[in-house]
Amino acid sequence: MLKLLFIKDQLNQELLGMPLTQEDVARIISSFDIIKQDGKRFTRCFYDCLFEYAPLIKPMFKKDRSVQEEHFFALLSLAVSNISRQDELTPVLIELGQKHKSFGVEENQFPLVKTAFMLAIEYELKANFNEAIKQAWSNYFDSLAEPMILGLRQ
């Protein structure tokens, strides 16, 4: 427990100065309302982009892809629904990072995942995508990735 509190404090210090604005939160929530209309298409697009840009990552995924896509979308939904309660998400994300470490995930792969994620958002939102939405999602991805990376480092 003490270790978790130390990590949480370390994370809060690292994220200091990078909080999402209320406008960013509103942009993420409203754009996610569009994305979740066809969550399966979004996650399929995300994994297609990921495997196209980083084919060496694909062998890490041992589960049925549809199951993996469901898990990913469930986590994304959880993250968006708890966007104003990052402190509650932090332990979950640290644990997820630890789990991903056992799959062979490395910190240097996160930029590839982010690229695929951002492309999938742009594709799904189409004409609704703009620079402000791009920046909001980019910042939020980084804030979600940070505790996962801390989990990988443990």
Side-chain angles (χ1 to χ4, degrees), residues 16-71:
L16 210 57
M18 294 179 23
L20 294 173
T21 66
Q22 288 303 317
E23 292 83 9
D24 289 338
V25 170
R27 287 179 185 111
I28 290 167
I29 291 171
S30 65
S31 61
F32 190 68
D33 284 343
I34 296 168
I35 290 167
K36 70 181 181 184
Q37 290 174 11
D38 194 345
K40 288 184 180 189
R41 181 178 61 206
F42 172 77
T43 53
R44 212 173 21 253
C45 180
F46 165 71
Y47 281 103
D48 287 348
C49 288
L50 181 61
F51 297 149
E52 178 72 24
Y53 283 107
L56 296 177
I57 288 177
K58 193 171 186 176
M60 291 181 185
F61 294 84
K62 308 285 187 212
K63 290 183 181 177
D64 175 12
R65 181 169 161 171
S66 63
V67 172
Q68 185 66 42
E69 290 174 0
E70 287 175 24
H71 289 173

Side-chain angles (χ1 to χ4, degrees), residues 58-116:
K58 193 171 186 176
M60 291 181 185
F61 294 84
K62 308 285 187 212
K63 290 183 181 177
D64 175 12
R65 181 169 161 171
S66 63
V67 172
Q68 185 66 42
E69 290 174 0
E70 287 175 24
H71 289 173
F72 175 77
F73 197 75
L75 178 64
L76 182 59
S77 297
L78 177 70
V80 173
S81 66
N82 288 285
I83 194 166
S84 297
R85 296 183 297 274
Q86 281 297 110
D87 58 324
E88 294 176 25
L89 279 176
T90 298
V92 173
L93 295 169
I94 290 171
E95 185 178 321
L96 189 61
Q98 292 168 336
K99 187 175 184 180
H100 278 69
K101 183 178 182 177
S102 71
F103 299 142
V105 173
E106 298 175 6
E107 189 174 335
N108 64 0
Q109 294 166 327
F110 276 77
L112 296 168
V113 174
K114 183 178 181 178
T115 297

